[in-house]
Amino acid sequence: MTNFGVQLFLDKFCDMGTKPNGRLAKIQEEVKGKKAKEKANANSSNSDDDEADELISPNHEEFSGFVFKTQANLDPKHRDRLAYIRIVSGSFQKGMKVGHSRSKPGKKYNLAQAQTLFGSDRESVEVAYPGDVIGINNPGNFAIGDTLFTGNEKIAFPGIPSFSPEKFAYIRNPNPSTYKSFQKGIEQLLAEGAVQALRQRNDEGGGPLILAAVGQLQFEVVQARLKSEYKVDSDMEAIGYTLARWADGGWDAVDKADADGKLFGIMIVQDRWERPVLLFRNDWKAASVAEEEKYLELKPWSKPPMFE
């Protein structure tokens, strides 16, 4: 009698629970070579290109899912990295090959292993369906907001937004002998979304790195994890700005405002996608620039590009 009614309860609970929902996406025909470059150039000139306009339902035949979290060093001995995928349509099959929304057309990734995690326990997964969450090995190419898919059409779900940070600081490696470990640690922590990264304009990686966060605790977590997981020290130097705004008007708009003297006292930097970001010292200045220079199209948040 100890199990009496349990199955009835579970069945009813499943009936009452939320069923998998569809998700709006942007779809492109997957083409290669010269045609792919021409199509990318055409799409880049279309202002509506980043608007998701087609619903992918759970009954859609092809597999699709999006990365909502990445995590490194679950097992410090193996330096493993996982990407957590929520399946939207189709079904996952162990060993299947999938496309990636930000990779070159035709590039496929083999999902040889997948697992579910509960606390410290892991369980291998052979098959998964819409609504399920699975963890797959991350080769370093999967980032938060990315889409994985099968089929001849390239699918991209809207990216997960990064909201405006309020704390900014330079981070430096005080010990040149640990350069590689420091770079690896920073790269993996940024991929997890622990903090955001900003750089000076046209800096391709050689200049000082600026970390951006909502609160001071995020900086302390980054330094603690660099020390404990990667065995490297780090120095932080705070910058006197209190908020960031992404300029959706692009670099031409920023250059115009700067030439007109409208960005005095404002720091101009770029995010990881080389998009312009303006750092302000106070809310009043940000609101004033947004009101007077509407062509900048300032926004307090950003989304990763759906395609590259």
Side-chain angles (χ1 to χ4, degrees):
M1 296 293 291
T2 56
N3 292 328
F4 179 77
V6 172
Q7 188 61 50
L8 292 173
F9 167 78
L10 293 176
D11 292 342
K12 187 62 177 178
F13 185 80
C14 289
D15 291 338
M16 294 174 63
T18 302
K19 297 180 180 179
N21 294 320
R23 190 173 174 89
L24 288 174
K26 187 72 180 179
I27 297 179
Q28 291 182 356
E29 181 182 357
E30 193 167 26
V31 293
K32 305 177 185 178
K34 185 177 179 180
K35 289 184 178 180
K37 186 175 292 186
E38 292 173 352
K39 189 175 184 66
N41 291 335
N43 285 333
S44 64
S45 63
N46 183 357
S47 60
D48 295 329
D49 184 54
D50 283 343
E51 293 296 327
D53 54 9
E54 189 158 344
L55 180 67
I56 303 296
S57 73
N59 297 324
H60 185 68
E61 291 184 1
E62 298 291 350
F63 168 85
S64 66
F66 64 93
V67 180
F68 67 91
K69 179 181 179 181
T70 64
Q71 193 168 0
N73 294 332
L74 287 171
D75 184 350
K77 295 180 180 178
H78 300 288
R79 296 290 188 197
D80 58 341
R81 288 192 287 180
L82 285 184
Y84 295 88
I85 311 292
R86 177 175 290 279
I87 300 174
V88 177
S89 68
S91 63
F92 165 82
Q93 304 284 338
K94 181 179 179 180
M96 70 189 304
K97 294 184 181 295
V98 299
H100 177 229
S101 58
R102 293 188 301 102
S103 292
K104 295 179 179 179
K107 173 70 174 177
K108 300 296 181 183
Y109 296 87
N110 183 25
L111 304 186
Q113 292 183 341
Q115 50 194 306
T116 57
L117 291 86
F118 187 80
S120 60
D121 297 330
R122 301 190 189 191
E123 183 177 340
S124 180
V125 175
E126 301 281 339
V127 182
Y129 300 97
D132 289 345
V133 172
I134 58 175
I136 61 173
N137 292 330
N138 185 358
N141 302 88
F142 304 153
I144 295 173
D146 287 353
T147 302
L148 303 182
F149 60 90
T150 60
N152 296 323
E153 293 181 322
K154 198 169 188 179
I155 298 174
F157 297 112
I160 298 174
S162 299
F163 292 96
S164 178
E166 299 177 357
K167 299 286 184 179
F168 307 89
Y170 289 110
I171 185 167
R172 297 182 176 89
N173 176 20
N175 188 354
S177 64
T178 60
Y179 173 81
K180 288 186 177 180
S181 296
F182 180 83
Q183 291 299 118
K184 183 177 182 180
I186 288 292
E187 176 187 341
Q188 294 188 357
L189 291 175
L190 290 176
E192 288 186 21
V195 288
Q196 297 182 58
L198 302 172
R199 291 188 180 274
Q200 298 287 347
R201 184 176 182 179
N202 297 324
D203 180 3
E204 297 181 354
L209 177 66
I210 301 173
L211 298 187
V214 176
Q216 181 65 30
L217 181 60
Q218 289 175 264
F219 292 153
E220 296 174 6
V221 168
V222 167
Q223 287 189 290
R225 290 190 61 184
L226 285 173
K227 183 67 174 178
S228 63
E229 298 177 20
Y230 301 92
K231 313 302 180 187
V232 296
D233 294 317
S234 59
D235 291 334
M236 303 280 284
E237 179 186 346
I239 307 175
Y241 295 89
T242 61
L243 72 160
R245 292 292 183 266
W246 275 260
D248 281 3
W251 284 111
D252 289 342
V254 171
D255 289 340
K256 179 182 184 304
D258 194 26
D260 293 342
K262 304 297 184 180
L263 302 184
F264 180 77
I266 298 170
M267 189 173 185
I268 304 173
V269 294
Q270 65 183 28
D271 65 8
R272 61 178 295 192
W273 312 112
E274 299 182 359
R275 299 176 299 194
V277 183
L278 305 182
L279 304 187
F280 296 88
R281 297 186 184 277
N282 54 64
D283 292 335
W284 177 85
K285 182 65 174 179
S288 175
V289 171
E291 178 64 27
E292 295 176 5
E293 318 301 325
K294 295 184 184 297
Y295 57 87
L296 287 171
E297 300 179 36
L298 298 184
K299 292 184 178 179
W301 47 267
S302 70
K303 287 184 179 181
M306 299 177 76
F307 300 106
E308 281 193 7

